[in-house]
Amino acid sequence: VNSGGIEPVRVEPNGRLVAFVDTSSNYLSTGTDTNGKADIFVKDIQTNKIVRINLGPGGVEDPSTLSTTGGATLGTLGFSAQTATVGFHSNSSVLRQFGTSFAKEVYRSTLTFPSRPLDNNTVIETPPDVVPSAKKLLLILQKFDTSNLKATANEVSAMAKSVTYDIRLTYTTKNKKLKVISTRNRVTLRNLSPGQYTVKYRVLGTLKSGKKVTTKFSPLVKVAVPKK
């Protein structure tokens, strides 16, 4: 960095993305950040990629010396989400859609980030996202990158096909267990009896190098299946 941050850093709940406000111009490639103003940046800890959020249509930055931007917040929807929402305030003329005043307005931007890598050291740190309904559970599991390569700032490696999810469901009301194997990260379990359940999963995969990987199980999540 060639300047400094001016607000506290915000970390999303899963700890992968970090949002911050900074006046530095060298987070991006040379000649990209030239406004000399504080900007909103988000860093992906997994890939080390940094993007600037507070840009107008077509990636235009605000040339005005009177513009100010700040108040970065950051969040994701669920443990397994691969999108994040960034909120901030700004009086930038390239963002403003109505009027000509320099009053601050609130904006939000949605980011999509690549899957975390699957390798011999992968640990599933969060439980699946579970959406219950009558006699059903929708499970949303993390996607994984099995290319066994670290993505650079300008490269996102491809997903391989050989990933299997080993899901373990326990009907705690009657202490019954169910094992489900899926090649998809979105699974709907149907015809379930109403009551209390726990869910966990692990991932089995083959890296492009040919190595087999089996992770440990994720943390448990408790959920209730309602009656009709």
Side-chain angles (χ1 to χ4, degrees), residues 9-36:
V9 171
R10 310 293 184 185
V11 182
E12 55 90 15
N14 291 342
R16 174 169 175 172
L17 302 180
V18 177
F20 57 98
V21 183
D22 203 304
T23 57
S24 298
S25 62
N26 59 343
Y27 287 117
L28 308 177
S29 57
T30 302
T32 302
D33 186 355
T34 61
N35 61 1

Side-chain angles (χ1 to χ4, degrees), residues 83-100:
T83 58
T85 298
V86 185
F88 61 96
H89 62 73
S90 179
N91 59 7
S92 169
S93 62
V94 299
L95 292 171
R96 188 170 59 246
Q97 296 182 10
F98 304 101
T100 57

Side-chain angles (χ1 to χ4, degrees), residues 31-45:
T32 302
D33 186 355
T34 61
N35 61 1
K37 305 289 292 184
D39 291 302
I40 308 291
F41 296 96
V42 175
K43 180 175 182 178
D44 184 340
I45 301 298

Side-chain angles (χ1 to χ4, degrees), residues 160-179:
K161 297 179 180 179
S162 54
V163 175
T164 302
Y165 296 93
D166 176 3
I167 303 163
R168 305 298 175 91
L169 181 74
T170 300
Y171 181 28
T172 56
T173 301
K174 294 189 177 181
N175 196 29
K176 292 183 178 180
K177 299 181 184 297
L178 175 67
K179 178 179 178 180

Side-chain angles (χ1 to χ4, degrees), residues 38-69:
D39 291 302
I40 308 291
F41 296 96
V42 175
K43 180 175 182 178
D44 184 340
I45 301 298
Q46 193 72 64
T47 64
N48 286 324
K49 183 177 180 179
I50 297 177
V51 295
R52 182 168 48 158
I53 300 301
N54 57 306
L55 298 175
V60 177
E61 63 180 9
D62 192 344
S64 173
T65 59
L66 299 177
S67 64
T68 59
T69 298

